[in-house]
Amino acid sequence: MSELFVKEKKLGEGTFAIVYLGKKKQQEGEPKDEAYVAIKEIKLDLMKQSDTGDNMGIDISAIREIKYLQELKAHDNIIKLYDVYSDMKTNSINLILEYLPMDLEKLIKKKTIIFNSMDIKLIVLQILRGVNHLHRLCIIHRDLKPANLLIGENGLIKLADFGLARTYDDGGINSHSNLTNNVVTRWYKAPELLLGSKNYDFKIDIWSIGLIIIELLIRVPYLPGKDDLDQLNLIFKVLGTPSEKDWPQVKALPNYNTNLYMYPKPNRQEWRKRFIAISDNFLDLLMSMLEMNPGERWDIVRCLESEYIREFPRPSDQMELVRLMNE
Amino acid sequence: MSESVSVPNQIDLVDLTETKPKTSKLYSDDESDHESENENDDMRDIVCPICKTSRYLSPDMKFLVNPECYHKICESCVDRIFTLGPTKCPYENCNKILRKLKFKRQIFDNIEIEKEIDIRNKVYKIMNKLEEDFETRKEYDKFLEDREDVIFELSNLDSNNEAQIENVEKKLMKYEQMNKRLIQVNKMKLKNQESKQNDMDSVQQNLEKERLALIKQMEEQNLEDNQTYKQKIIAELSKGTDKNKIIANVKMEIKLKKSSQRRKLEELNKVLKSNSYSYNHFNKFQENSNEEFADVPFTPFNGDRELHRKYKVLEDHQLYYDPFISNLGKVSKYVANGFNEKSIYDRLLNEAFLGFGVFIEEEKSK
């Protein structure tokens, strides 16, 4: 199988995987296929040994990635997996993925690009649609951040990196105690995760999206904590320390410290002051996505049904995003 | 007309300064404030270059500029020099003829901005077509762009290049002549709109005042009531009837009174909300754009939602009692994570029905 694709250039490297830019090899009698693909090479040697030297086999994150990508690839806003093959020579598993040249992090950092409200809406809408598809099929992404939102040459935004995703089966009641709270990149971690909850649900993704949207507006990470403790403190400072009143049973969470400094919860006016240029409905959406209590936080369906999505102006055309990207 | 989210656009600033001259203070070089900050830098600024009067000696000195050349001249000099009629600007090498009437206070610190705003206002007065004068959004945008072009050309003119000035001015004149009637009509429209806006604003303000007064009144009343009721209770109790009954009666009375006030407040709030003046310029385009994209209606979900579910979650879950699930609602760690019995049932049913009505062979053959 490995002869079908050629790796051309290294694009990036993670702990267990290297991503290459590649192309389909020309076969005899077949027309030449010029389209680029991304090849994610997952090294088996590296993950083979645990601390005790036992053979660990394939890492669970690789299995998850393959499993969820195969299940979800039909959706527009999710990265496409074309093929999977194992390579004996390099002892690795290779995922052939759609090549997407841009990601939201790069787009946000490129200060020469100015988004208007329609462009913002287009991006928000596409993220919500992608996540809606996951949640509909009972999958939590658990690592939503700008760097994992890739943008294709056609202006479509696609969720990628399903290494931490998992199914939330049995309505979430049986598998509950098995969830680990060590997920999601720190800056986008929901408060219940930081408080050590192991029974969280889809709402942690909503929190991450809320912060991504704000980052899109202000062009810098909104809550950049230095470590998990600092992150929690920062969240409370900016969004108010939750009390038993607005988050029932919060004290029951493992990391809840009763000696917390009680920062006041910002009211609507305060929110308004922080985000002057956005519409009232947009502000409602943000406030509801960053609701501390997961029970009160909107779910993905409610977010997509929000007035902000339906109000005018309509989201701009995808081509607009392409134009911005190439500027 | 690119409307950026983070940066307030200039057009907004113009509107502010135009309609509410009071707010101009925000942007004006409020001299007294400035000088205390950087006294050394602006030493020459506080001396009028014509009469050499310094701010130090006459603290209420004000500077004016004339949109012909934008040279700063103090108020008393303007009075002195231009009262007798239009004269040359007193600055050396500036041969512009100035009139007293045209002098005004400088609003923006930066003279370039000041200049552009003046040009902008001038051009807006002439090229004042409104959204409703256009058939499609594209045409309107084109017009806005043209207008910005004219403003840009005018504000970046080389004052020595006579031919260029003439060229642009001619263009503007031509437009004015061609659209004379429309300009008049729109002028009236804009005026009406402005007065309407002012009316709305004052109505809104009055309502808001009323609301605040009511809240204050409620608070005062509350304090007063608490005291009188206390006294009442004591008085009644001294008569020696059933004490629980008395307290209950008094409480009831308080409740009734409070609820009537609250209702009034709610009504006011509602009026305030519904009255909020939001004129949607794009109502017209809404229709147009709907026509344009009639075959692809906008839906947030883009079809990725089951509108007609094959099951229904009953509102009353007393009908079905699952001790395991209901007991979870009593465990604090589940409650802290937003446990909700209904959503659990919903999720379980969703899972059970997931994939029903999907025919893999059929989908594959597509």
Side-chain angles (χ1 to χ4, degrees), chain B residues 262-313:
Chain B
R262 204 169 295 142
R263 219 170 300 136
K264 208 168 159 192
L265 186 71
E266 263 165 30
E267 247 164 58
L268 257 177
N269 273 340
K270 225 183 261 169
V271 173
L272 259 175
K273 227 179 186 175
S274 64
N275 254 10
S276 62
Y277 184 76
S278 56
Y279 177 75
N280 192 348
H281 293 283
F282 297 113
N283 271 339
K284 199 180 146 203
F285 296 118
Q286 219 162 306
E287 291 156 25
N288 279 344
S289 62
N290 280 351
E291 277 163 31
E292 268 172 51
F293 305 109
D295 44 335
V296 198
F298 172 82
T299 70
F301 289 85
N302 205 13
D304 190 25
R305 177 165 69 153
E306 223 173 339
L307 276 177
H308 308 289
R309 297 208 163 165
K310 295 175 193 69
Y311 60 91
K312 210 165 93 189
V313 185

Coordinates of all heavy atoms in Angstrom, one line a residue, chain B residues 262-313:
Chain B
R262 N -44.6 45.5 41.5 CA -43.7 44.8 40.6 C -44.3 44.7 39.2 O -43.6 44.8 38.2 CB -43.4 43.4 41.2 CG -42.1 42.8 40.7 CD -41.8 41.6 41.4 NE -41.5 41.8 42.8 CZ -41.8 41.0 43.8 NH1 -42.5 39.9 43.5 NH2 -41.5 41.3 45.0
R263 N -45.6 44.5 39.2 CA -46.3 44.4 37.9 C -46.1 45.6 37.1 O -45.8 45.6 35.9 CB -47.8 44.1 38.1 CG -48.3 43.1 37.1 CD -49.7 42.6 37.4 NE -49.8 42.0 38.7 CZ -50.8 42.2 39.6 NH1 -51.7 43.1 39.3 NH2 -50.8 41.6 40.7
K264 N -46.2 46.8 37.8 CA -46.0 48.0 37.1 C -44.6 48.2 36.5 O -44.4 48.6 35.4 CB -46.3 49.2 38.1 CG -46.8 50.4 37.5 CD -47.2 51.4 38.6 CE -47.3 52.8 38.2 NZ -47.4 53.7 39.3
L265 N -43.7 47.7 37.3 CA -42.3 47.8 36.9 C -42.0 46.9 35.6 O -41.4 47.3 34.7 CB -41.3 47.4 38.0 CG -39.9 47.5 37.7 CD1 -39.5 49.0 37.7 CD2 -39.0 46.8 38.8
E266 N -42.6 45.7 35.7 CA -42.5 44.8 34.6 C -43.0 45.4 33.3 O -42.5 45.3 32.2 CB -43.2 43.5 34.9 CG -42.2 42.4 35.4 CD -42.9 41.3 36.0 OE1 -44.1 41.0 35.6 OE2 -42.4 40.7 37.0
E267 N -44.2 46.0 33.5 CA -44.9 46.7 32.3 C -43.9 47.7 31.7 O -43.7 47.7 30.5 CB -46.2 47.3 32.7 CG -47.4 46.6 32.1 CD -48.6 47.1 32.9 OE1 -48.9 48.3 32.9 OE2 -49.3 46.2 33.4
L268 N -43.4 48.5 32.5 CA -42.5 49.6 32.1 C -41.3 49.0 31.3 O -40.9 49.5 30.3 CB -42.0 50.4 33.3 CG -42.7 51.8 33.4 CD1 -42.1 52.4 34.7 CD2 -42.4 52.6 32.2
N269 N -40.8 47.9 31.9 CA -39.6 47.3 31.3 C -39.9 46.8 29.9 O -39.2 46.9 29.0 CB -39.2 46.1 32.2 CG -38.2 46.5 33.2 OD1 -37.6 47.6 33.1 ND2 -38.0 45.7 34.2
K270 N -41.2 46.2 29.8 CA -41.6 45.7 28.5 C -41.7 46.8 27.5 O -41.2 46.7 26.4 CB -42.9 45.0 28.7 CG -43.0 43.7 28.0 CD -44.4 43.1 28.2 CE -44.5 42.1 29.3 NZ -45.9 41.7 29.6
V271 N -42.3 47.9 27.9 CA -42.4 49.1 27.0 C -41.1 49.5 26.5 O -40.8 49.8 25.4 CB -43.2 50.2 27.7 CG1 -43.2 51.4 26.8 CG2 -44.6 49.8 28.0
L272 N -40.2 49.6 27.5 CA -38.8 50.1 27.2 C -38.2 49.2 26.1 O -37.5 49.6 25.2 CB -37.9 50.0 28.4 CG -37.7 51.4 29.1 CD1 -36.9 51.1 30.4 CD2 -37.0 52.3 28.2
K273 N -38.3 47.9 26.3 CA -37.7 46.9 25.4 C -38.3 47.0 24.0 O -37.6 47.1 23.1 CB -37.9 45.5 26.0 CG -36.6 44.7 26.0 CD -36.8 43.4 26.6 CE -35.5 42.7 26.7 NZ -35.7 41.4 27.4
S274 N -39.6 47.0 24.0 CA -40.2 47.0 22.6 C -40.0 48.3 21.9 O -40.1 48.4 20.7 CB -41.7 46.7 22.8 OG -42.3 47.7 23.5
N275 N -39.8 49.4 22.7 CA -39.7 50.7 22.1 C -38.3 50.9 21.6 O -38.0 51.9 20.9 CB -40.0 51.8 23.1 CG -41.3 52.4 22.8 OD1 -42.1 51.9 21.9 ND2 -41.7 53.5 23.4
S276 N -37.3 50.1 22.0 CA -36.0 50.4 21.6 C -35.9 50.6 20.1 O -36.3 49.7 19.3 CB -35.1 49.2 22.1 OG -35.4 48.1 21.4
Y277 N -35.3 51.6 19.7 CA -35.3 52.1 18.4 C -34.3 51.3 17.6 O -33.1 51.5 17.7 CB -35.0 53.6 18.3 CG -35.1 54.1 16.9 CD1 -36.3 54.4 16.4 CD2 -34.0 54.4 16.2 CE1 -36.4 54.9 15.1 CE2 -34.1 55.0 15.0 CZ -35.3 55.2 14.4 OH -35.4 55.7 13.2
S278 N -34.8 50.4 16.8 CA -33.8 49.7 15.9 C -34.3 49.7 14.5 O -35.2 48.9 14.1 CB -33.6 48.2 16.4 OG -34.9 47.6 16.5
Y279 N -33.8 50.6 13.7 CA -34.2 50.7 12.4 C -33.4 49.8 11.5 O -32.1 50.0 11.4 CB -34.1 52.1 11.9 CG -34.4 52.4 10.5 CD1 -35.8 52.4 10.1 CD2 -33.4 52.6 9.6 CE1 -36.1 52.6 8.8 CE2 -33.8 52.8 8.2 CZ -35.1 52.8 7.9 OH -35.4 53.0 6.5
N280 N -34.0 48.8 10.9 CA -33.2 47.9 10.1 C -33.1 48.4 8.7 O -34.0 48.3 7.9 CB -33.8 46.5 10.2 CG -32.9 45.5 9.6 OD1 -31.9 45.8 9.0 ND2 -33.2 44.2 9.8
H281 N -31.9 48.8 8.3 CA -31.7 49.3 6.9 C -31.8 48.2 5.9 O -32.0 48.5 4.8 CB -30.3 49.9 6.8 CG -30.1 51.1 7.6 ND1 -30.6 52.3 7.3 CD2 -29.5 51.3 8.8 CE1 -30.3 53.2 8.2 NE2 -29.6 52.6 9.1
F282 N -31.6 47.0 6.3 CA -31.5 46.0 5.3 C -32.8 45.2 5.2 O -32.9 44.2 4.5 CB -30.4 45.0 5.7 CG -29.1 45.8 5.6 CD1 -28.4 46.0 6.8 CD2 -28.6 46.3 4.5 CE1 -27.2 46.7 6.7 CE2 -27.5 47.0 4.4 CZ -26.7 47.2 5.5
N283 N -33.9 45.8 5.7 CA -35.2 45.1 5.5 C -35.5 44.9 4.0 O -35.9 43.8 3.7 CB -36.3 46.0 6.1 CG -36.5 45.6 7.5 OD1 -36.1 44.6 8.0 ND2 -37.1 46.5 8.3
K284 N -35.1 45.9 3.3 CA -35.4 45.8 1.9 C -34.5 44.7 1.2 O -35.0 43.9 0.4 CB -35.1 47.1 1.3 CG -35.8 47.3 -0.1 CD -35.4 48.7 -0.6 CE -35.3 48.5 -2.1 NZ -34.6 49.5 -2.8
F285 N -33.2 44.7 1.7 CA -32.3 43.7 1.1 C -32.7 42.3 1.5 O -32.4 41.4 0.8 CB -30.9 44.1 1.5 CG -30.5 45.4 0.9 CD1 -30.1 46.4 1.8 CD2 -30.5 45.6 -0.4 CE1 -29.8 47.6 1.2 CE2 -30.1 46.8 -1.0 CZ -29.7 47.8 -0.1
Q286 N -33.3 42.3 2.7 CA -33.7 41.0 3.2 C -34.5 40.3 2.1 O -34.3 39.1 1.7 CB -34.5 41.2 4.4 CG -34.3 40.2 5.5 CD -34.8 40.8 6.8 OE1 -34.4 41.8 7.2 NE2 -35.6 40.0 7.4
E287 N -35.5 41.1 1.6 CA -36.4 40.5 0.6 C -35.6 40.1 -0.6 O -35.8 39.1 -1.2 CB -37.5 41.5 0.3 CG -38.5 41.7 1.4 CD -39.2 43.0 1.3 OE1 -39.3 43.6 0.2 OE2 -39.6 43.5 2.3
N288 N -34.8 41.1 -1.0 CA -34.0 40.9 -2.3 C -33.2 39.6 -2.2 O -33.2 38.8 -3.1 CB -33.1 42.1 -2.6 CG -33.9 43.2 -3.2 OD1 -35.0 42.9 -3.7 ND2 -33.4 44.4 -3.2
S289 N -32.4 39.6 -1.1 CA -31.5 38.5 -1.0 C -32.2 37.1 -1.0 O -31.8 36.1 -1.4 CB -30.5 38.6 0.1 OG -31.3 38.6 1.3
N290 N -33.4 37.2 -0.3 CA -34.2 36.0 -0.3 C -34.6 35.5 -1.7 O -34.6 34.4 -2.0 CB -35.5 36.2 0.6 CG -35.1 36.0 2.0 OD1 -34.0 35.7 2.4 ND2 -36.1 36.4 2.9
E291 N -34.9 36.5 -2.5 CA -35.2 36.2 -3.9 C -34.1 35.6 -4.6 O -34.2 34.6 -5.3 CB -35.7 37.4 -4.6 CG -37.2 37.7 -4.3 CD -37.5 39.2 -4.7 OE1 -36.9 39.7 -5.7 OE2 -38.4 39.7 -4.1
E292 N -32.9 36.2 -4.4 CA -31.7 35.7 -5.1 C -31.4 34.3 -4.8 O -31.0 33.5 -5.6 CB -30.5 36.6 -4.7 CG -30.3 37.8 -5.7 CD -29.3 38.7 -5.1 OE1 -28.2 38.2 -4.8 OE2 -29.5 39.9 -5.0
F293 N -31.5 34.0 -3.5 CA -31.0 32.6 -3.1 C -32.2 31.7 -2.8 O -32.2 30.9 -1.9 CB -30.1 32.7 -1.9 CG -29.0 33.6 -2.0 CD1 -28.9 34.8 -1.4 CD2 -27.9 33.2 -2.9 CE1 -27.8 35.6 -1.6 CE2 -26.8 34.0 -3.1 CZ -26.8 35.2 -2.4
A294 N -33.3 32.0 -3.5 CA -34.6 31.3 -3.1 C -34.5 29.8 -3.1 O -35.1 29.2 -2.3 CB -35.7 31.8 -4.0
D295 N -33.6 29.3 -4.0 CA -33.6 27.8 -4.1 C -32.7 27.2 -3.0 O -32.8 26.0 -2.7 CB -33.1 27.4 -5.5 CG -31.9 28.2 -5.9 OD1 -31.8 29.4 -5.4 OD2 -31.1 27.7 -6.7
V296 N -31.9 28.0 -2.3 CA -31.1 27.5 -1.2 C -31.4 28.3 0.1 O -30.7 29.3 0.4 CB -29.6 27.6 -1.4 CG1 -28.8 26.7 -0.5 CG2 -29.2 27.3 -2.9
P297 N -32.5 28.0 0.8 CA -32.8 28.7 2.0 C -31.7 28.5 3.1 O -31.1 27.5 3.1 CB -34.1 28.2 2.4 CG -34.2 26.8 1.9 CD -33.3 26.8 0.6
F298 N -31.5 29.5 3.9 CA -30.5 29.4 4.9 C -31.1 28.7 6.1 O -32.1 29.0 6.6 CB -30.1 30.8 5.4 CG -29.3 30.8 6.6 CD1 -27.9 30.6 6.4 CD2 -29.8 31.0 7.9 CE1 -27.1 30.6 7.5 CE2 -28.9 31.0 9.0 CZ -27.6 30.8 8.8
T299 N -30.4 27.6 6.5 CA -30.8 26.9 7.7 C -29.5 26.7 8.6 O -28.5 26.3 8.1 CB -31.4 25.5 7.5 OG1 -30.4 24.7 7.0 CG2 -32.5 25.6 6.5
P300 N -29.6 27.0 9.9 CA -28.5 26.9 10.7 C -27.9 25.5 10.7 O -26.7 25.3 10.8 CB -29.0 27.2 12.1 CG -30.2 28.0 11.9 CD -30.8 27.5 10.6
F301 N -28.7 24.5 10.6 CA -28.2 23.1 10.7 C -27.8 22.5 9.4 O -27.1 21.5 9.4 CB -29.3 22.2 11.3 CG -29.6 22.5 12.8 CD1 -30.4 23.5 13.2 CD2 -28.9 21.7 13.8 CE1 -30.7 23.8 14.5 CE2 -29.2 22.0 15.1 CZ -30.0 23.0 15.5
N302 N -28.1 23.2 8.3 CA -27.7 22.7 7.0 C -28.2 21.3 6.8 O -27.5 20.5 6.2 CB -26.2 22.8 6.9 CG -25.8 22.9 5.4 OD1 -26.6 23.2 4.6 ND2 -24.5 22.7 5.1
G303 N -29.4 21.0 7.3 CA -30.0 19.7 7.1 C -29.5 18.6 8.0 O -30.0 17.5 8.0
D304 N -28.6 18.9 8.9 CA -28.0 17.9 9.8 C -28.8 17.8 11.1 O -28.2 18.0 12.1 CB -26.5 18.3 10.0 CG -25.8 17.1 10.7 OD1 -26.2 16.0 10.6 OD2 -24.8 17.4 11.4
R305 N -30.0 17.6 11.0 CA -30.8 17.5 12.2 C -32.1 16.6 11.8 O -32.6 16.8 10.7 CB -31.3 18.8 12.6 CG -32.2 18.8 13.8 CD -32.3 20.1 14.5 NE -33.1 21.1 13.7 CZ -33.7 22.1 14.2 NH1 -33.8 22.3 15.5 NH2 -34.4 22.9 13.5
E306 N -32.5 15.8 12.8 CA -33.7 15.0 12.6 C -34.9 15.9 13.1 O -35.0 16.1 14.3 CB -33.6 13.8 13.4 CG -34.0 12.6 12.6 CD -33.8 11.3 13.4 OE1 -32.9 11.3 14.3 OE2 -34.4 10.3 13.2
L307 N -35.7 16.4 12.2 CA -36.8 17.2 12.6 C -37.9 16.4 13.1 O -38.6 16.8 14.1 CB -37.2 18.1 11.4 CG -36.4 19.4 11.2 CD1 -36.9 20.1 10.0 CD2 -36.5 20.3 12.5
H308 N -38.2 15.3 12.5 CA -39.3 14.5 12.9 C -38.7 13.2 13.6 O -38.4 12.2 12.9 CB -40.2 14.1 11.8 CG -40.6 15.3 11.0 ND1 -41.5 16.2 11.5 CD2 -40.2 15.8 9.8 CE1 -41.7 17.2 10.7 NE2 -40.9 17.0 9.6
R309 N -38.6 13.3 14.9 CA -38.0 12.2 15.6 C -38.9 11.0 15.6 O -40.2 11.2 15.6 CB -37.6 12.6 17.0 CG -36.6 13.7 17.0 CD -35.8 13.6 18.3 NE -34.6 14.4 18.2 CZ -33.9 14.7 19.2 NH1 -34.3 14.3 20.4 NH2 -32.8 15.4 19.0
K310 N -38.4 9.8 15.8 CA -39.2 8.7 15.8 C -39.7 8.3 17.2 O -40.4 7.3 17.4 CB -38.4 7.5 15.2 CG -38.1 7.7 13.8 CD -37.2 6.6 13.2 CE -36.6 7.0 11.9 NZ -35.6 8.1 12.0
Y311 N -39.3 9.2 18.2 CA -39.8 8.9 19.5 C -40.1 10.3 20.2 O -39.7 11.3 19.6 CB -38.7 8.2 20.3 CG -37.4 9.0 20.4 CD1 -37.2 9.9 21.5 CD2 -36.4 8.9 19.5 CE1 -36.0 10.6 21.6 CE2 -35.2 9.6 19.5 CZ -35.1 10.5 20.6 OH -33.9 11.2 20.7
K312 N -40.7 10.2 21.3 CA -41.0 11.5 22.0 C -40.7 11.3 23.5 O -41.0 10.2 24.1 CB -42.5 11.8 21.9 CG -42.8 13.2 21.9 CD -44.2 13.5 21.4 CE -45.2 13.5 22.5 NZ -46.6 13.5 22.1
V313 N -40.0 12.2 24.1 CA -39.7 12.1 25.5 C -40.8 12.8 26.3 O -41.2 13.9 26.0 CB -38.4 12.8 25.8 CG1 -38.0 12.6 27.3 CG2 -37.2 12.3 24.9

